[in-house]
Amino acid sequence: MRTIVSIFAFICCFATSSNAQVYLNDTSLYNSLWCSYKSVYEVDTGYFVMGNIVRAGNGNTTSLILGFHNNNGSKELILDNYQPLHDQRVFGSIHKLFRNNRGNFVYLYANCETSVGCYPRLKEISTDGVIIRDRTLQPLLDSANLSILDFNNIIQKKDSNYFLVINVVDTARLNAPVADGNGLFFIQLDSSFNLLDSARFFSTGSFINRGYGGAHIIESDKTILMIPEVLQSATDSLEEGKVLFMKLDSQGSILDTIYYTDGQKIGAYGLTKTADSGYLFTYLKGEFSTTINGWEYYRYLCKVDSNFSLVWKKLTDENVGYGSFFLDKEIKPTLDGNYVTAGGTYEDTSIYNQRFARILKFNENGDFLWKRRHFKVADSSVLFPIEIEINDIITTQDSGYCMVGRVNDIVAASVGNIRYYAYIVKTNCLGFLGNAVASASYSSENLDATFFNTSMQAGSYYWDFGDGTSLTTDEYADTVLHTFPSPSPSPSSASGGGAEDYDVMLIAYGCYDSLGVRDADTLLFTVTITEDGSSVVVTNNGYFVLFPNPSSSGGELSIYLNALDPNNGEVSLSFYSMDGKLVKKALLSTDEGTYVLDNNLARGMYEVALVQGGKVLQSEKLIIQ
């Protein structure tokens, strides 16, 4: 908690501009047993999503899907490319959905058949779901005696040709004295998917580990390629991890290779170029610990210069666990010159199923601007039986953010129901799902007053103390101190001699809309100041806010929760009908963030109570339409 002391001066309120915000929060099953979104692409009317689906009756065969969510949250399945003999897997692909110079989507993924194994497959798909081109690369890999290992990546160059990176295995090299059979296969195709050239890369004495990687960007005539994990088997221990950066010319020939290492084992993921020609990326660092008899993992942001020399690194999370749920897979520049990354995480290692989505915004110096948490909650007595994995995040046209991935429903899986389903969430420019809510309380001692800011979903605040002074604070100033002038002894004072009433105003600011109007919520309250007395005013608000309210049955309900003291007991949200009957209950943690519940309530009015340790902290009315 940071304390701000106000002074007797007027401090102007300032703001930066953004555009209209559209809130979108939706999970999509498409009537399947398993569904996941891998990538998202924004257009004016909504969001295209690429992913996988497994339907009942299809066994384990995975179908490629292209879906669409409009700005109101309604979804449409545009393409369901189910082929019984082809398991089409996008979860090994790490490139993002993009449109080529013909306006069609291009996607590269792994196709698996029982008789021939797995191989890269490339599709060009129109925005209305028509498959324009479909190219399998099995013959090319077979002729090179290679097989696909894991990840794929693709970009379209300025000459309209495509450059592909495939993580492959050369079985002949696996039998060498030093096993280095895992490597890369570079493929160049023309705009019609015809082969132009191919090349392979295997580093002597090392091998490229399977997993997410191969992220790359184009700058003028060069391609920058990042390989997430190179395990040295000759000169280093098998657990020594390094990140390989490669510079390639316009023809795909290697110009330079540079290594980055930090500790025993690291895997790098998101990659973006900065304004000063450096690069930002995220990585997961593993260190073996004898005290816990296993590996501890730490998540970092890192900046390197144009030669890939370290500029800075910043720890974002520690002990996050290892697996796709815990990776920051993307870094994207924001419209205001900063950067954002997103992934799944938990920050309390004693609660291993408390896994949630986290958005982190930071500047080019690695200073964290804000961190947002998004939880998915089930009706259950188990705390957080649902895990969120984030595969992609984009900055949207209205300065907000859209994330996609999948949700793992642990409780449902335990009884044989849905295990994974697709996840999409659209936030505003501050990473929130709802508008700003102003809330505060205060205590006073003689002329000194302490204000406690319990507002929610706001980025900055304006305080007018009613005595001719004002103050602007950011979202991290939870406590504000202010000294009022000596009260007038006039009997005409509203509270009598030696006391003075001040009308205090608090404005919580959110984002701007397309007309330049800023989201704001204003709170007005009266503070009584005496020279030789004290007062304490504590409101019963500021713990949580429900939205939307009214809400629609069958959709989703969001709750923003301010941080609570974990020592005060279990936290729950209880829904009571107007006759006092408990109809729904969900367990929450004490962490601040947005919690999303499935809204299976019938139409009517409900009393919603936030309870901790058996004590009701706050209650609100909820209308279900």
Side-chain angles (χ1 to χ4, degrees):
M1 178 179 294
R2 186 169 56 192
T3 299
I4 304 294
V5 180
S6 70
I7 59 176
F8 291 99
F10 186 85
I11 302 178
C12 294
C13 181
F14 65 94
T16 57
S17 177
S18 62
N19 297 313
Q21 299 297 327
V22 177
Y23 302 109
L24 172 66
N25 183 25
D26 189 37
T27 50
S28 303
L29 297 178
Y30 290 128
N31 299 316
S32 73
L33 297 177
W34 186 97
C35 190
S36 176
Y37 289 154
K38 186 67 179 180
S39 186
V40 58
Y41 184 92
E42 183 186 20
V43 294
D44 289 340
T45 54
Y47 306 89
F48 285 93
V49 286
M50 178 65 76
N52 268 158
I53 194 170
V54 176
R55 296 187 183 278
N58 289 355
N60 292 323
T61 303
T62 306
S63 174
L64 186 72
I65 61 170
L66 177 67
F68 181 75
H69 290 257
N70 67 23
N71 286 325
N72 295 320
S74 299
K75 59 183 179 289
E76 175 188 1
L77 184 58
I78 299 174
L79 171 70
D80 181 358
N81 191 227
Y82 175 63
Q83 300 176 22
L85 302 179
H86 297 264
D87 189 17
Q88 303 178 88
R89 304 176 183 176
V90 305
F91 49 81
S93 304
I94 57 128
H95 77 278
K96 303 307 172 186
L97 189 63
F98 70 92
R99 296 172 73 175
N100 62 16
N101 56 6
R102 288 187 286 264
N104 297 320
F105 290 110
V106 176
Y107 211 82
L108 177 69
Y109 58 96
N111 190 93
C112 298
E113 297 180 59
T114 303
S115 57
V116 296
C118 299
Y119 52 87
R121 187 171 176 178
L122 183 63
K123 277 189 172 71
E124 182 178 352
I125 307 168
S126 70
T127 55
D128 56 0
V130 176
I131 298 177
I132 308 299
R133 288 177 178 81
D134 188 352
R135 170 75 188 269
T136 62
L137 299 177
Q138 177 195 349
L140 178 60
L141 265 69
D142 287 348
S143 64
N145 295 315
L146 302 174
S147 61
I148 188 172
L149 177 63
D150 197 339
F151 59 79
N152 304 275
N153 209 341
I154 181 174
I155 52 177
Q156 187 173 33
K157 303 189 296 182
K158 293 180 179 179
D159 59 6
S160 298
N161 295 327
Y162 297 100
F163 181 75
L164 287 65
V165 179
I166 313 296
N167 185 201
V168 294
V169 177
D170 184 339
T171 54
R173 296 180 69 95
L174 289 175
N175 297 324
V178 177
D180 54 7
N182 299 357
L184 301 176
F185 195 40
F186 302 144
I187 304 170
Q188 294 197 64
L189 305 175
D190 66 17
S191 60
S192 298
F193 296 172
N194 298 309
L195 179 65
L196 297 176
D197 197 7
S198 65
R200 64 180 73 194
F201 172 80
F202 292 87
S203 180
T204 303
S206 68
F207 64 92
I208 296 172
N209 192 32
R210 64 182 302 165
Y212 294 91
H216 55 270
I217 56 179
I218 286 185
E219 46 179 73
S220 63
D221 60 341
K222 297 192 296 295
T223 299
I224 306 300
L225 180 65
M226 181 177 72
I227 310 303
E229 200 168 351
V230 178
L231 305 183
Q232 303 294 320
S233 57
T235 59
D236 302 318
S237 72
L238 286 175
E239 298 298 344
E240 181 71 18
K242 298 180 179 179
V243 179
L244 169 63
F245 291 97
M246 302 176 66
K247 293 183 179 180
L248 298 89
D249 63 18
S250 59
Q251 302 303 313
S253 299
I254 298 173
L255 299 175
D256 198 5
T257 57
I258 306 100
Y259 286 95
Y260 174 85
T261 186
D262 181 16
Q264 291 171 288
K265 176 164 67 171
I266 65 174
Y269 303 94
L271 174 70
T272 193
K273 187 175 175 59
T274 60
D276 61 358
S277 299
Y279 301 91
L280 291 167
F281 62 96
T282 67
Y283 65 89
L284 194 67
K285 172 185 175 182
E287 296 285 353
F288 187 78
S289 171
T290 57
T291 59
I292 63 172
N293 195 28
W295 287 91
E296 292 182 292
Y297 292 93
Y298 306 85
R299 188 154 52 181
Y300 282 89
L301 286 171
C302 188
K303 182 178 179 180
V304 293
D305 61 21
S306 58
N307 295 315
F308 297 95
S309 298
L310 179 65
V311 177
W312 54 256
K313 64 177 182 178
K314 301 292 178 68
L315 179 68
T316 63
D317 305 284
E318 58 182 299
N319 294 329
V320 297
Y322 186 77
S324 60
F325 281 91
F326 304 108
L327 307 179
D328 282 318
K329 298 176 184 175
E330 282 296 312
I331 294 179
K332 296 290 177 62
T334 61
L335 299 184
D336 60 1
N338 295 299
Y339 301 89
V340 67
T341 185
T345 189
Y346 56 73
E347 296 180 3
D348 182 351
T349 55
S350 65
I351 308 176
Y352 283 94
N353 59 351
Q354 184 182 324
R355 296 171 181 170
F356 49 87
R358 189 264 284 134
I359 313 176
L360 179 65
K361 186 177 181 181
F362 62 99
N363 62 23
E364 197 163 303
N365 296 321
D367 302 318
F368 301 146
L369 303 179
W370 48 252
K371 183 188 293 186
R372 309 292 182 227
R373 301 180 179 95
H374 290 261
F375 303 84
K376 181 73 177 172
V377 183
D379 295 332
S380 170
S381 59
V382 179
L383 181 62
F384 291 136
I386 294 181
E387 303 171 334
I388 302 177
E389 175 185 16
I390 300 300
N391 290 321
D392 193 16
I393 183 171
I394 60 172
T395 300
T396 56
Q397 298 172 13
D398 60 5
S399 299
Y401 308 97
C402 187
M403 298 184 297
V404 297
R406 67 177 180 177
V407 171
N408 179 11
D409 192 333
I410 299 173
V411 172
S414 67
V415 294
N417 294 326
I418 297 168
R419 179 172 177 81
Y420 295 115
Y421 52 98
Y423 179 74
I424 181 170
V425 58
K426 165 69 178 68
T427 77
N428 66 10
C429 69
L430 293 168
F432 296 121
L433 285 176
N435 294 325
V437 177
S439 177
S441 60
Y442 79 93
S443 65
S444 66
E445 184 71 31
N446 299 329
L447 302 178
D448 297 324
T450 303
F451 295 91
F452 306 100
N453 189 355
T454 54
S455 302
M456 290 167 280
Q457 301 185 140
S460 63
Y461 302 91
Y462 175 72
W463 298 81
D464 187 330
F465 299 106
D467 60 358
T469 64
S470 60
L471 182 70
T472 298
T473 61
D474 63 19
E475 63 177 285
Y476 299 104
D478 296 328
T479 306
V480 175
L481 304 181
H482 182 72
T483 300
F484 285 91
S486 297
S488 171
S490 172
S492 62
S493 171
S495 300
E500 195 79 36
D501 287 347
Y502 294 94
D503 294 326
V504 176
M505 179 175 65
L506 170 63
I507 304 177
Y509 286 110
C511 300
Y512 285 89
D513 64 19
S514 58
L515 300 177
V517 178
R518 195 177 192 185
D519 167 40
D521 189 37
T522 301
L523 177 69
L524 299 172
F525 56 101
T526 301
V527 175
T528 301
I529 296 297
T530 61
E531 287 188 302
D532 55 356
S534 63
S535 63
V536 177
V537 176
V538 179
T539 66
N540 199 33
N541 294 307
Y543 292 103
F544 81 101
V545 60
L546 293 164
F547 55 95
N549 190 9
S551 184
S552 299
S553 181
E556 290 184 331
L557 183 66
S558 296
I559 300 96
Y560 191 86
L561 178 71
N562 264 331
L564 299 174
D565 187 344
N567 297 317
N568 291 339
E570 181 182 88
V571 179
S572 64
L573 200 66
S574 298
F575 296 75
Y576 296 90
S577 60
M578 287 298 96
D579 59 1
K581 181 180 179 181
L582 178 64
V583 297
K584 183 182 181 73
K585 181 179 180 181
L587 292 182
L588 309 180
S589 80
T590 57
D591 290 326
E592 181 173 350
T594 301
Y595 296 76
V596 179
L597 287 76
D598 291 328
N599 183 2
N600 51 12
L601 297 169
R603 188 172 65 178
M605 181 178 290
Y606 297 86
E607 187 78 19
V608 183
L610 179 68
V611 181
Q612 184 177 25
K615 178 183 178 182
V616 176
L617 303 181
Q618 180 182 335
S619 62
E620 298 288 339
K621 292 287 193 303
L622 172 66
I623 299 174
I624 302 297
Q625 298 176 333

